[in-house]
Amino acid sequence: QVQLVESGGGLVQAGGSLRLSCVASGRTSSRYIMAWFRQAPGKEREFVATISWGGRTTDYADSVKGRFTISRDNAKNTIYLQMNSLKPEDTAVYYCAAADWTGVKVVETRVDQYDYWGQGTQVTVSS
């Protein structure tokens, strides 16, 4: 089991920036694909960004490409999401997620493939 705790959310004006963090604890000796998802009120949880165990491979939702950057520091058991040029439509609860790396895929965009989830952090972007 691995536990995930997100932080860094808040209220920001459109065009501003935020950096989210997610710290993992527990069975951190295992290798995990990591990702960020988000869920706006009344909508399904959607993929935002994912990163491979070694950090060399990333993938992003089209809606955030060029604005968001995912990264990880395995020595600190932490992943980050740098969010720039924020828009009101980015408003959502952002969740950190981990999936056991089986060696088949290095990144994963499907929400149903993730085994562990954080409690979420609210990001609100005002216009």
Side-chain angles (χ1 to χ4, degrees):
Q1 288 278 351
V2 62
Q3 294 77 44
L4 305 172
V5 179
E6 304 97 333
S7 62
L11 173 63
V12 64
Q13 288 188 333
S17 298
L18 283 174
R19 189 176 83 153
L20 306 183
S21 299
C22 171
V23 179
S25 61
R27 191 165 57 89
T28 57
S29 59
S30 296
R31 298 184 175 187
Y32 299 99
I33 298 170
M34 302 294 294
W36 290 96
F37 289 80
R38 67 187 181 186
Q39 189 167 16
K43 295 187 177 182
E44 294 186 352
R45 193 167 297 189
E46 65 174 5
F47 166 74
V48 175
T50 180
I51 188 166
S52 61
W53 161 250
R56 294 181 178 180
T57 304
T58 59
D59 195 9
Y60 296 91
D62 288 343
S63 59
V64 307
K65 279 181 181 176
R67 300 189 298 123
F68 290 10
T69 302
I70 188 171
S71 60
R72 68 191 298 167
D73 184 340
N74 287 340
K76 296 182 179 180
N77 296 320
T78 302
I79 69 165
Y80 306 95
L81 186 67
Q82 178 66 43
M83 305 186 295
N84 298 328
S85 302
L86 282 160
K87 304 175 181 180
E89 51 263 44
D90 294 319
T91 295
V93 177
Y94 283 71
Y95 296 91
C96 173
D100 289 305
W101 181 52
T102 63
V104 176
K105 297 177 70 175
V106 294
V107 291
E108 179 59 68
T109 64
R110 291 171 52 184
V111 64
D112 62 355
Q113 296 300 300
Y114 283 85
D115 307 296
Y116 310 103
W117 293 86
Q119 83 290 348
T121 185
Q122 176 70 46
V123 172
T124 303
V125 184
S126 63
S127 57

